[in-house]
Amino acid sequence: MKVIFNIRRFDGEKDYWQSFAVPVFRGMTLLEGLFYIKENLDGSLAFRASCRMGVCGSCAVKVNGKPVLACETQISSVNSSKLDIEPIDNFRVIKDLVTDFEGFFRKHEAVKPYLIRNDDNYENPVELIQTPKQMKSYYTFSLCIKCGACYSVCPAAATRSDYLGPAAITAAWRFIADSRDEGKEERYEAVCGDNGVWRCHFAAECSEVCPKKVEPAKAVQKMRIRTALHAIKKVIL
Ligand code: FES
């Protein structure tokens, strides 16, 4: 059986669609289909992939209108004999299915996605023990693989390219919810600016498409509540 891969390509100057007939086998993934094209039909096709097991987050593409991880999506699960495959939205396209993630990663950097401690002591490090309950409060949000699927469907990111976006705000919340972290003030400041949490329209599409079920929409709402309470406390005290 053959499935048509109809791919939206970009050569640096113009956009065009190109179709390839790909022989599929049971369990074959979309990524395997792309590799089949590259190895047998057109070596110039550009796409990004690394781990091939849903961990690195580099293979997100849009299939029949929905962002998915190419390595985790079985062709049969799309249930169509023709697949329209495009680069994910809200990112600049470099070539074919390869998009530019530099700005996306810069937004992560801005929210300081790492533990901040006042007692950093690399010579005599101390063990920071947590209860299972403490860990549970951030665990789901730590599963993000930064594939960009959430950002690609975000209406706020579509209208403002400087909006931090669901993935970066989730990364900030993951550390704010962590009992070991002492950098909350710095992060509140990073996420409360003009391009921060209050730009979210709560379309919640980000949670809908997240391949790791991280629930970025929930993280953004939690962040809004926390930062609002923080601001109120500051006024009262
Ligand atoms: S290739 Fe790593 S997540 Fe798909």
Side-chain angles (χ1 to χ4, degrees):
M1 179 193 159
K2 288 195 173 182
V3 166
I4 302 299
F5 276 45
N6 189 33
I7 303 179
R8 179 151 70 88
R9 304 192 61 178
F10 178 64
D11 61 10
E13 284 177 2
K14 60 177 187 321
D15 253 350
Y16 61 100
W17 288 87
Q18 189 173 4
S19 294
F20 302 93
V22 177
V24 299
F25 54 83
R26 195 159 166 230
M28 185 176 183
T29 65
L30 206 60
L31 185 59
E32 286 173 310
L34 293 174
F35 271 114
Y36 177 86
I37 295 170
K38 192 165 182 69
E39 286 160 10
N40 300 285
L41 305 176
D42 187 341
S44 72
L45 179 68
F47 54 91
R48 200 188 273 127
S50 180
C51 71
R52 306 192 189 196
M53 54 195 286
V55 173
C56 72
S58 58
C59 67
V61 290
K62 198 163 82 166
V63 178
N64 291 354
K66 188 183 168 208
V68 296
L69 292 181
C71 70
E72 273 200 331
T73 306
Q74 290 196 7
I75 294 169
S76 58
S77 72
V78 184
N79 211 6
S80 170
S81 56
K82 181 171 161 280
L83 310 176
D84 286 337
I85 303 171
E86 302 172 71
I88 52 175
D89 293 326
N90 295 345
F91 289 86
R92 183 180 71 85
V93 180
I94 299 171
K95 185 176 185 320
D96 300 337
L97 303 173
V98 177
T99 50
D100 182 0
F101 265 55
E102 209 178 309
F104 179 76
F105 289 136
R106 224 178 286 129
K107 287 168 184 175
H108 275 78
E109 219 177 296
V111 302
K112 305 179 190 239
Y114 40 81
L115 275 188
I116 297 175
R117 296 281 304 172
N118 300 324
D119 61 353
D120 261 350
N121 183 345
Y122 295 107
E123 269 153 36
N124 299 303
V126 285
E127 193 179 4
L128 301 168
I129 294 175
Q130 292 193 294
T131 64
K133 192 175 168 205
Q134 284 171 323
M135 195 185 91
K136 206 173 162 214
S137 61
Y138 65 81
Y139 179 71
T140 308
F141 307 112
S142 72
L143 300 178
C144 172
I145 57 169
K146 298 168 186 48
C147 65
C150 60
Y151 191 87
S152 76
V153 295
C154 173
T159 51
R160 273 197 56 158
S161 60
D162 65 338
Y163 172 49
L164 284 174
I169 295 172
T170 300
W173 178 253
R174 178 257 172 269
F175 287 97
I176 283 176
D178 191 316
S179 61
R180 299 165 296 180
D181 186 66
E182 294 171 338
K184 295 179 180 29
E185 284 282 343
E186 296 171 49
R187 281 198 208 86
Y188 289 150
E189 216 161 285
V191 300
C192 276
D194 186 42
N195 62 344
V197 279
W198 302 102
R199 288 277 155 205
C200 169
H201 305 166
F202 198 34
E205 195 63 16
C206 49
S207 291
E208 200 57 45
V209 300
C210 175
K212 294 292 158 187
K213 306 278 174 267
V214 170
E215 293 198 78
K218 191 171 175 183
V220 175
Q221 300 319 306
K222 279 178 174 285
M223 184 69 93
R224 289 172 114 162
I225 295 168
R226 182 66 70 84
T227 51
L229 290 174
H230 179 70
I232 293 167
K233 252 191 224 161
K234 258 175 136 178
V235 173
I236 296 171
L237 300 176

